[in-house]
Structure formats: C-alpha cells, structure tokens
Amino acid sequence: MTTSPLGPTRTLGSRGPATAPIGLGLMGMSDLYGPADDAESVATIHAALDAGVTLLDTGDFYGMGHNEMLLRDALRGRRREDALISVKFGALRDARGGWNGVDTRPAAIKNFLAYSLRRLGTDYVDIYRPTRLDPTVPVEETMGALAGLVKQGLIRHIGLSEVGAETLRRANAVHPVSDLQIEYSLISRGIEQDILPTARELGIGITAYGVLSRGLVSGHWPAAGTGNRRDFRAHLPRFSGENLQRNLELVERLRGIADRKGATVAQLAIAWVLSRGEDIVPLVGARRRDRLTESLGAADLVLSGEDLAAIEAAVPAGAAAGTRYDAGQMAWLDSERR
C-alpha cells in the first residue's frame, strides 16, 4: 500500500486506479449551489492538489461545460498524471439550465467525450461515467461503447453513478467497473443493504458523494436555510420546513461528539464515511479553501469503536427526515428502485 500526504491511498475497485483517501467534487463551483467565485474555485483546486488530493470529480453538464473549463484552467502548468479526472456525462440541459433527461446512446457518448476532452485540454479521461441510467438504452450497450473508448485510450476506466445492484452486475459482466459514484453519508445509508455488498463482491469501489449531505450535516447550515432560490437545495425535501428542523437536531447530536473529539461536525461526518471501508473514497464538495482545509482535517481524525457507537446512537440509519431529492429526480435513480 502506498501513502499520500492525506494517508494511505485507496484503490477504486480491484482493477481501478489508486487515489488519495479523500477526493474533491467540483459541481458547486459552477452550478446548483448559487454563485461561486472562479478565482477562489481555482485556488481551492490548487490547494487540494497541494494537500495531496488526486481525485477530481466533474461533469460535462455542470454549468454546461463551465466546470470542465474551470478544471482545465486549474490544471494548467501542472503534471497531468498528478490528477485523476472523473467525468460524468449524459445529462441533457436547456439554455435556462433545465433538465431534459439522459442520453447514453453510443453515438452520443462519443460526442460528449469529444467535447469534454477539448474543454478539459487533455487527451484522456481517467474515469468516465454516465450520470444516470438511460431507460431507453440497455446498460450493456452503454458499457460496450465505453469499453471501445478504453481500447482507444481515450478513457482509462469506466465508472457508474447511482445504479442498483442488478444493474451493477449487468454492467460489470460487459467490462470491469472501477467504481460506483453514489450518495453515502450518515443520513443517506441506502447503499448498505444491497448495493455496497454487491460492489464488494464484484470488486467495485465506491466514490461517495454528498458525505455532508450537501452541507446539511456540515455543522454550518443555518436553521432558516439560505433563502436563495437559485440554490437547488432550497427545493429538496430534507432542507424544507419541519424536515430541516428535525435534521438539524441530528446535527446537534453530532456536535457534542465532535466537540469531545476536538473536531468539527463536518470532520466527524467525513471521518465516519472514511471508516466504512478502504474501498470507499469520500468526495468533499468544498468551494472555498477554508472549507477544504476543514474537510481534509477528517483524514487525521481517528474514530474508536466507542466513537462509532456514539455516532450510530446519535444518528441511526433511517433517522433523516425527507428524501434525498424531490419525486421527479428520485424517479431517475436506479439505485432507489426496489
């Protein structure tokens, strides 16, 4: 096992790449969380790389290409091999930022990748993954097209996002899947029943996004919400009305444990995800250097068996109020189908 400045590296699946134990998700630097500052975003990416972060997660639809170009600017002058670039594709959007479904047809995949490579300023992507399952295209057909891109050297590894156990098996039978990107946090533990055991059986890693539940369990979320209607979290059930108040009560339970550990709530929540297995790499969505520094501090936080028991007692599985997304978005999650 090799080490990084953040601790021992973790491997994304039995045949995937090695990465530092914490990765950086870039979505909020371009989209969905309200205005962001490009200069601060680039500085945050630089700080992450300097701290030892290697996995950088983006999507071609984050800001309709803006996020990829931001990453290109941040990597300019740096060694390409020092970064593991993970790109999600397939989401269709309109000029006003609306959503129009998912397209993972082979011809569309080739088109999406060509544009991503140009925007990123690179000749390959380390991990390429459809953002959601396309209900009109068999996953075997999508995987076959991606396997062809691996043979061409345009992508190094194939990942998936938000798919269930059965889909994971079908996809992996066509070509090895390096990792499944899926929401996993103290208040989003749905993968533990079927998806995580299946991934482990197949040798597929987990890149966990939403480890702070989009800021809800960061310890910084205001009880009244942000009031910013451009922030899509204002429209999510867990951030609304009585649900928000109930969920923030859970956060306060965590704060007492964090205080005893000399840590922040965010660090405690990230460290909990890190503790779930060496095949899990949490993605933190920091948009500023101070938040990044706080999040990366989780790598030094050691949780004892007593600590883990206290955390479980404070926030037991299923304790969160409200679903992860609204009903329309939940319908797109193959991972949530039972």
Side-chain angles (χ1 to χ4, degrees), residues 241-251 253 319-322:
E242 292 183 3
N243 286 348
L244 176 61
Q245 299 310 312
R246 288 173 57 190
N247 291 330
L248 290 180
E249 289 173 7
L250 299 177
V251 174
R253 297 180 195 173

Side-chain angles (χ1 to χ4, degrees), residues 140-183:
E140 291 84 357
E141 188 173 333
T142 298
M143 289 295 294
L146 291 169
L149 296 174
V150 172
K151 289 181 180 179
Q152 295 178 49
L154 297 174
I155 64 177
R156 298 283 174 86
H157 304 278
I158 300 172
L160 290 173
S161 177
E162 288 289 357
V163 301
E166 179 184 353
T167 301
L168 202 57
R169 289 187 187 280
R170 289 169 53 198
N172 197 65
V174 177
H175 187 281
V177 174
S178 66
D179 65 305
L180 172 64
Q181 188 175 119
I182 195 164
E183 187 169 354

Side-chain angles (χ1 to χ4, degrees), residues 19-298:
T19 177
I22 299 175
L24 181 64
L26 308 184
M27 181 187 76
M29 296 178 179
S30 298
D31 216 352
L32 300 176
Y33 289 170
D37 180 271
D38 283 0
E40 179 61 24
S41 295
V42 169
T44 300
I45 296 171
H46 286 168
L49 292 167
D50 292 343
V53 170
T54 50
L55 180 60
L56 303 172
D57 182 74
T58 182
D60 62 12
F61 51 92
Y62 292 167
M64 283 75 89
H66 173 270
N67 205 243
E68 291 178 316
M69 292 187 287
L70 186 75
L71 180 55
R72 175 200 62 202
D73 292 344
L75 293 178
R76 186 173 288 123
R78 302 219 171 204
R79 296 196 316 160
R80 171 64 181 85
E81 57 269 29
D82 288 342
L84 282 171
I85 300 177
S86 167
V87 178
K88 291 185 290 297
F89 71 88
L92 304 176
R93 303 190 70 176
D94 61 32
R96 295 185 175 181
W99 303 89
N100 295 306
V102 175
D103 188 352
T104 66
R105 294 170 300 157
I109 294 173
K110 293 177 182 178
N111 180 75
F112 291 141
L113 180 62
Y115 279 76
S116 284
L117 292 173
R118 176 61 64 91
R119 286 190 292 259
L120 288 165
T122 185
D123 57 3
Y124 71 94
V125 168
D126 295 281
I127 310 169
Y128 201 51
R129 71 182 83 241
T131 186
R132 297 288 185 266
L133 189 68
D134 184 341
T136 68
V137 180
V139 71
E140 291 84 357
E141 188 173 333
T142 298
M143 289 295 294
L146 291 169
L149 296 174
V150 172
K151 289 181 180 179
Q152 295 178 49
L154 297 174
I155 64 177
R156 298 283 174 86
H157 304 278
I158 300 172
L160 290 173
S161 177
E162 288 289 357
V163 301
E166 179 184 353
T167 301
L168 202 57
R169 289 187 187 280
R170 289 169 53 198
N172 197 65
V174 177
H175 187 281
V177 174
S178 66
D179 65 305
L180 172 64
Q181 188 175 119
I182 195 164
E183 187 169 354
Y184 188 39
S185 72
L186 272 168
I187 64 171
S188 295
R189 297 177 60 174
I191 72 169
E192 292 177 347
Q193 182 175 357
D194 298 314
I195 296 173
L196 182 55
T198 299
R200 285 175 167 162
E201 175 191 336
L202 299 174
I204 296 171
I206 298 290
T207 45
Y209 77 87
V211 293
L212 297 179
S213 197
R214 301 173 181 83
L216 184 57
V217 294
S218 67
H220 302 296
W221 193 262
T226 67
N228 182 358
R229 302 305 291 176
R230 291 180 59 190
D231 187 325
F232 95 118
R233 291 171 291 190
H235 308 281
L236 298 181
R238 287 183 178 173
F239 289 81
S240 303
E242 292 183 3
N243 286 348
L244 176 61
Q245 299 310 312
R246 288 173 57 190
N247 291 330
L248 290 180
E249 289 173 7
L250 299 177
V251 174
E252 291 311 306
R253 297 180 195 173
L254 292 174
R255 196 182 303 277
I257 301 170
D259 288 346
R260 291 195 294 273
K261 295 289 294 182
T264 68
V265 175
Q267 289 168 342
L268 190 76
I270 296 167
W272 180 87
V273 176
L274 282 166
S275 77
R276 306 311 284 176
E278 294 182 359
D279 52 351
I280 298 174
V281 176
L283 297 171
V284 299
R287 301 195 293 171
R288 306 191 324 242
R289 283 168 285 179
D290 58 337
R291 292 287 192 248
L292 174 73
T293 299
E294 178 186 12
S295 293
L296 296 184

